[in-house]
Amino acid sequence: MTQPGILIVLSGPSGAGKGTICRELLRNCPNLHYSISATTRQPRPGETDGSNYLFMSHDKFRGMINDNDFLEWAEVYDNYYGTPRTYVMDLLNSGKDVILEIDTQGALQVKNKFPQGVFIYIMPPSLDELANRIHKRGTETIEAIKNRLGCVRNELSYVNNYNYIVVNDEVSKAVARVQSIIDAEKCHVSRNSNLIDKIYNLCSQ
Ligand code: 5GP
């Protein structure tokens, strides 16, 4: 039987750099696949449907909730976001690793269903730096920025539910740390039962 892939969950406050870290990881890890979330938020300039998100109406999103099509979903910053279940499950069952970039509410839901997942919290080096990054990104209105910064303290209070914490002081270093975590998890005894069975069989011949 194929060894299932690893489910990796990245969370952290808006502006912590999860997106950048994810993109770099996907470039470096051929077995890693990104779960494209569904959202009711409007696309930002440059974002495309099916690539950044599956952009959809509230009605469509509600329909997916009713059909139990989400692995998890949550309301974040006045919009709905959710992880389509089938895509993730099919990949994991075929031995592929999947990364979710989701908020803390969603991560807790996933943890209940997949305690064997790897939960990584990305921290900004400081709150000042976080505010700087969100301002520089220039994708949000002043009101939306205030709202996001107001949520940071609450977001940070969930950190104890994660397995790892990575400070994104420098992107290349943060990516290397996350990569090391994934590599170590791949070597974990609990994820290598096929290999162990093979060795046992050899020993008993
Ligand atoms: P943004 O609007 O900046 O793209 O994302 C806002 C927040 O929603 C981020 O914290 C992001 O991680 C989170 N998010 C994105 N996709 C999902 C998802 O599928 N589920 C949940 N629970 N949160 C998500």
Side-chain angles (χ1 to χ4, degrees):
M1 210 176 74
T2 313
Q3 201 82 41
I6 302 182
L7 182 63
I8 299 139
V9 176
L10 277 197
S11 304
S14 181
K18 294 164 294 194
T20 315
I21 292 173
C22 247
R23 275 192 295 279
E24 285 300 308
L25 285 171
L26 289 162
R27 238 206 303 253
N28 300 344
C29 315
N31 195 46
L32 186 60
H33 296 260
Y34 182 74
S35 158
I36 300 174
S37 297
T39 185
T40 58
R41 144 161 110 54
Q42 291 299 309
R44 295 180 187 133
E47 284 185 335
T48 50
D49 185 41
S51 160
N52 303 90
Y53 280 106
L54 305 167
F55 294 101
M56 60 180 64
S57 65
H58 280 86
D59 277 355
K60 174 117 195 261
F61 198 97
R62 251 180 251 119
M64 287 184 71
I65 295 174
N66 291 339
D67 293 342
N68 199 23
D69 283 343
F70 289 123
L71 188 60
E72 62 73 36
W73 65 271
E75 188 181 353
V76 192
Y77 309 129
D78 303 328
N79 285 298
Y80 289 90
Y81 296 80
T83 304
R85 177 196 304 280
T86 313
Y87 179 75
V88 172
M89 294 313 300
D90 287 353
L91 284 167
L92 289 176
N93 290 335
S94 64
K96 309 269 198 311
D97 302 328
V98 182
I99 192 159
L100 311 184
E101 187 198 326
I102 61 177
D103 88 315
T104 46
Q105 310 169 68
L108 285 183
Q109 295 172 42
V110 176
K111 202 173 177 198
N112 279 331
K113 293 172 187 157
F114 281 90
Q116 72 278 29
V118 181
F119 295 81
I120 306 175
Y121 197 90
I122 306 294
M123 274 290 237
S126 70
L127 276 187
D128 282 348
E129 176 58 22
L130 189 70
N132 266 342
R133 286 182 193 172
I134 302 180
H135 278 287
K136 259 200 219 149
R137 201 162 68 180
T139 50
E140 253 73 37
T141 61
I142 296 290
E143 236 2 83
I145 292 174
K146 273 196 195 149
N147 183 20
R148 285 184 177 224
L149 286 174
C151 294
V152 169
R153 215 174 281 274
N154 179 45
E155 281 271 317
L156 291 174
S157 68
Y158 285 88
V159 72
N160 279 337
N161 295 291
Y162 288 73
N163 306 117
Y164 298 94
I165 177 161
V166 169
V167 177
N168 183 14
D169 43 4
E170 216 177 288
V171 173
S172 59
K173 284 186 187 161
V175 171
R177 287 178 197 127
V178 176
Q179 177 91 61
S180 312
I181 293 167
I182 298 173
D183 289 348
E185 287 286 341
K186 280 195 164 300
C187 299
H188 201 281
V189 169
S190 64
R191 300 189 196 277
N192 286 279
S193 50
N194 281 357
L195 178 64
I196 294 168
D197 284 349
K198 260 191 213 157
I199 295 170
Y200 275 158
N201 281 339
L202 275 178
C203 292
S204 60
Q205 275 169 16

